Amino acid sequence: MTLAIAFDNSYARLPDRFYVRQPPVAVAQPELLLLNLALVEELGLDAAALQSPDGVAVLAGNAVPAGADPLAQAYAGHQFGGFSPVLGDGRALLLGEIIDRSGKRRDIQLKGAGRTAFSRPGSDGRSPLGPVLREFIVSEAMYALGVPTTRALAAVATGEQVRRERPYPGGVLTRVASSHIRVGTFEFFAARRDTEALKLLTTHVIARHYPEAEGALGLLKAVIAAQARLVAQWMGLGFIHGVMNTDNTAISGETIDFGPCAFMDSFHPATVYSSIDHHGRYAYDKQPDILMWNLAKLASCLLLVIDGDEDSALAEAQAALNEFPELVRNAWTGVFRRKIGLRTAEDGDADLIGDLLARMAAGEADFTNTFRALADGTARDQFLDPAGFDAWETAWQDRLAREPEAGDLEQRLKAANPAIIPRNHRVEQAIEAAMEGNLDPAARLVRALARPFDDPDADTRPLTFPPTEDERVQRTFCGT
Ligand code: AMP
Ligand code: MG
């Protein structure tokens, strides 16, 4: 059975200096581990063809389908505050773009496809299976939670070992994104003062993501607004991205690069998981500020191509950036208002929410379970000292009494507060089992995470439990 994919590769039509063309490097023994059938459908692809040996060969990078134009994208980036003028796809290749069933353009990328012109010296361009499964599980969970995100189409095992601190089985992830263009893509050209490329990139990105945006300034404003909405959604789920470098900030406003990311169990605003984030730069509560910093980097790139004289361009870019904190605040308040069942806005709402979060931190309350338990009146059980919650509950009830109509509060709370999130220890257990050859826990986890707002049943209830002392994951890794 042959796999037919109708590619339309707009990025590959940009000039040569945007990328380096090359085919993926073949692997020893491809084996399909997970295939996302819902996404296959959305993309208008043929599941049977993808599962056939020819299809699996494509997903592993052992065959290049007709119409694909594999290339490594060039980008730069600020990593932990330091600038690298050349990063680029060092272990990923864009196969090409397709138009999905709803008419949207989607990138199809292989992650872990072998060395490229951008690979760091001595690196292998590969990925261990763990990070592949991790990204599959967590990105699909994000999607089901209603957060803009790159998607996972397939995970394959390569039949090869990848050497890190010890050998691991290798994997390739097929990632789908509305594009893989990052703040770092703009930085790549800005660092070279290549204004012609910046203009082409701006035009490309506007056509692709923000057709309403006018010029470079319009684009900047649109990205600022999209990123403000995104980070507010992360905050509302207790999500910590972990490596918010500018090369991991997508222009589309999708969550990208699920490395050492994690959902918090018990709530503390300063939580950090990433093993490489020694100073807590990307801690939970720092995420809005860091995003502002990343967007300032984007603004300084776009300054080179904003219409008008230098002074007015600077003033306009600065003004756009200064809007960001308030955009985040408003989006954040909107997200958390929903989480406590409010449909109207009052001035004191942000304080009411902040007060709950402060009590949750003091009471070591589980982030996800506390909000979910607002629906059935058991939230106080999540607190070390339940009396700390009771005082807040009185204020909450008073506030709810001022909503114009009660409606079905329980349903509303359940629709805003997931029961099931990809808890770290569950993700780790699923990966451990997969590395022993048992894919069932990963497949079960993926299935449950596709319906995060449903009431758990006997099978899925264990997924709602916080980790025991033995299960707790202290550190997460990039897995590069
Ligand atoms: P990331 O940690 O995914 O944000 O990647 C940062 C940079 O390191 C990107 O340029 C990657 O392509 C590159 N990189 C990460 N892992 C590898 C690897 N195993 N081989 C080659 N390049 C890598
Ligand atoms: Mg990255």
Side-chain angles (χ1 to χ4, degrees):
M1 184 174 281
T2 50
L3 178 67
I5 305 179
F7 285 101
D8 174 32
N9 306 322
S10 68
Y11 198 86
R13 291 193 286 271
L14 289 165
D16 285 352
R17 59 195 192 281
F18 280 70
Y19 47 77
V20 177
R21 281 202 165 85
Q22 71 154 85
V25 182
V27 301
Q29 213 169 53
E31 184 195 344
L32 182 60
L33 301 182
L34 296 172
L35 182 66
N36 184 342
L37 292 174
L39 185 56
V40 169
E41 175 73 27
E42 213 178 296
L43 297 176
L45 299 177
D46 178 345
L50 278 171
Q51 286 163 313
S52 73
D54 281 355
V56 177
V58 167
L59 297 172
N62 284 20
V64 175
D69 191 355
L71 54 86
Q73 291 179 303
Y75 56 85
H78 278 86
Q79 300 177 303
F80 291 90
F83 186 59
S84 295
V86 185
L87 289 171
D89 290 330
R91 57 166 161 171
L93 285 174
L94 177 64
L95 270 190
E97 300 154 33
I98 61 175
I99 309 298
D100 73 13
R101 278 178 185 269
S102 68
K104 281 190 299 198
R105 181 175 293 277
R106 314 280 286 262
D107 272 7
I108 312 287
Q109 194 206 56
L110 299 181
K111 193 169 172 184
R115 283 186 58 80
T116 76
F118 297 109
S119 297
R120 291 180 295 233
S123 64
D124 56 9
R126 293 298 186 192
S127 177
L129 192 52
V132 166
L133 294 174
R134 200 176 157 73
E135 176 156 351
F136 192 112
I137 294 165
V138 183
S139 66
E140 284 305 306
M142 279 301 235
Y143 170 72
L145 289 163
V147 183
T149 177
T150 64
R151 305 287 306 276
L153 181 67
V156 301
T158 60
E160 293 175 1
Q161 298 279 303
V162 178
R163 298 209 156 268
R164 294 294 180 265
E165 51 299 357
R166 67 176 180 86
Y168 290 97
V172 177
L173 178 79
T174 306
R175 177 158 73 176
V176 176
S178 68
S179 88
H180 285 84
I181 299 167
R182 308 136 193 272
V183 170
T185 317
F186 283 83
E187 290 180 289
F188 181 83
F189 296 111
R192 288 163 184 70
R193 302 272 142 183
D194 186 346
T195 50
E196 185 192 293
L198 280 172
K199 281 182 187 155
L200 289 169
L201 184 60
T202 300
T203 305
H204 177 86
V205 163
I206 290 175
R208 208 160 159 177
H209 299 298
Y210 304 103
E212 332 276 67
E214 282 179 32
L217 181 65
L219 173 61
L220 178 63
K221 289 179 181 169
V223 177
I224 286 172
Q227 288 289 344
R229 288 192 297 272
L230 179 66
V231 76
Q233 285 192 279
W234 290 355
M235 302 301 276
L237 291 165
F239 177 76
I240 304 163
H241 181 283
V243 240
M244 290 176 69
N245 295 331
T246 55
D247 54 305
N248 295 336
T249 301
I251 293 296
S252 65
E254 290 177 347
T255 312
I256 191 170
D257 277 3
F258 294 81
C261 64
F263 288 78
M264 250 184 287
D265 297 300
S266 77
F267 176 66
H268 197 284
T271 306
V272 178
Y273 285 99
S274 171
S275 61
I276 55 171
D277 191 359
H278 305 297
H279 303 290
R281 181 180 170 93
Y282 301 142
Y284 172 78
D285 65 343
K286 296 248 188 83
Q287 296 183 118
D289 289 349
I290 283 294
L291 205 46
M292 170 104 173
W293 193 91
N294 291 352
L295 291 166
K297 296 296 162 201
L298 177 64
S300 50
C301 299
L302 287 170
L303 262 186
L304 301 175
V305 289
I306 288 177
D307 292 332
D309 67 81
E310 232 171 84
D311 288 346
S312 67
L314 183 61
E316 286 176 316
Q318 190 64 60
L321 209 51
N322 288 344
E323 298 277 315
F324 181 73
E326 194 177 335
L327 289 171
V328 174
R329 222 164 15 247
N330 291 341
W332 183 93
T333 311
V335 164
F336 279 91
R337 261 195 196 110
R338 264 196 82 218
K339 290 180 76 69
I340 61 169
L342 302 179
R343 285 176 299 185
T344 61
E346 278 188 14
D347 283 347
D349 292 345
D351 288 343
L352 182 66
I353 296 158
D355 184 34
L356 173 60
L357 291 171
R359 287 166 193 271
M360 284 169 62
E364 296 177 28
D366 183 88
F367 186 92
T368 305
N369 290 350
T370 301
F371 281 103
R372 180 74 178 188
L374 293 176
D376 68 6
T378 60
R380 72 190 304 275
D381 302 344
Q382 298 290 328
F383 291 71
L384 280 183
D385 171 17
F389 174 77
D390 297 339
W392 181 82
E393 189 174 28
T394 310
W396 179 44
Q397 294 298 344
D398 289 350
R399 173 64 186 85
L400 283 171
R402 292 195 298 276
E403 287 283 286
E405 46 188 291
D408 190 341
L409 179 64
E410 185 180 336
Q411 276 318 308
R412 224 157 57 231
L413 288 168
K414 284 186 175 175
N417 295 301
I420 303 175
I421 49 141
R423 290 184 188 266
N424 257 320
H425 65 294
R426 292 298 179 186
V427 176
E428 290 311 314
Q429 287 164 4
I431 290 169
E432 288 294 324
M435 293 205 294
E436 307 275 303
N438 177 11
L439 235 13
D440 291 349
R444 270 210 307 275
L445 190 55
V446 168
R447 214 176 312 124
L449 288 166
R451 307 191 58 86
F453 299 101
D454 285 5
D455 276 324
D457 57 24
D459 276 347
T460 58
R461 183 154 302 107
L463 300 178
T464 68
F465 301 158
T468 60
E469 213 39 63
D470 295 349
E471 288 173 327
R472 196 184 308 275
V473 174
Q474 305 285 1
R475 288 276 161 263
T476 51
F477 300 89
C478 282
T480 58

